[in-house]
Amino acid sequence: MTVRAILTLKGHDCVTIAPDATLAEAANLLSQHGIGAVVITGPDRRVIGILSERDIVHQISALGAAAMNQPVASAMTREVVTCTEDETIPQLMQRMTEHRFRHVPVVDRGRLAGIVSIGDVVKHRVAELEREHDALKEYIATA
Ligand code: AMP
């Protein structure tokens, strides 16, 4: 199974924000969409950063309420680890575990093509295990 299988189910939409937006705007976006990270894109939908709720919490811890007026660019991670749709789900899980983050943007020919969160991966894996379980039960019942 590849990342493509997850995107086929959840779609290619990915919430993005400009680097000069404020952290207050980013927090609103996360809240409105019920998500944990937004991707920052430049021209041609190229990924230039990622901002997760943890980055916002970190800035609030450092600056207090003033953090909310800071630009997204001041808090985002610039070295973004991405994947392609051809990557397998076990490979992606390994990468998330290794780097200890919960979001990986998907790129296609350098352009943003979706995002996969740890929640998407777990949901997919649980469905896969349920299918295997049902197939085994069926096999035993009819053997
Ligand atoms: P998360 O676990 O996704 O909430 O992110 C934890 C930290 O890792 C935050 O500082 C994020 O900006 C950063 N981060 C999240 N996803 C990625 C990614 N795909 N590549 C690089 N950094 C990331």
Side-chain angles (χ1 to χ4, degrees), residues 15-83:
V15 179
T16 61
I17 195 164
D20 57 352
T22 63
L23 291 185
E25 288 169 321
N28 277 336
L29 213 51
L30 295 180
S31 171
Q32 275 164 21
H33 291 271
I35 54 175
V38 282
V39 175
I40 297 87
T41 47
D44 295 339
R45 284 183 74 76
R46 287 186 190 277
V47 176
I48 58 171
I50 188 163
L51 180 87
S52 97
E53 53 203 357
R54 291 197 188 182
D55 299 316
I56 299 177
V57 167
H58 183 73
Q59 289 295 90
I60 292 170
S61 160
L63 304 174
M68 300 315 275
N69 299 321
Q70 296 294 308
V72 163
S74 68
M76 69 188 192
T77 300
R78 291 168 190 271
E79 296 290 314
V80 185
V81 175
T82 60
C83 70

Side-chain angles (χ1 to χ4, degrees), residues 84-102:
T84 65
E85 290 196 55
D86 294 325
E87 192 154 328
T88 68
I89 292 165
Q91 275 171 341
L92 185 67
M93 286 169 78
Q94 190 189 347
R95 206 178 295 191
M96 283 177 158
T97 310
E98 186 185 322
H99 293 281
R100 295 184 167 275
F101 46 54
R102 299 166 294 175

Side-chain angles (χ1 to χ4, degrees), residues 1-10 88-90 92-93 116-132:
M1 282 283 186
T2 63
V3 167
R4 183 169 289 109
I6 293 181
L7 290 191
T8 300
L9 281 177
K10 72 169 277 198
T88 68
I89 292 165
L92 185 67
M93 286 169 78
V116 178
S117 74
I118 192 86
D120 299 325
V121 173
V122 170
K123 188 174 158 193
H124 186 84
R125 189 71 190 118
V126 167
E128 204 172 49
L129 286 172
E130 276 170 1
R131 281 196 299 275
E132 283 171 21

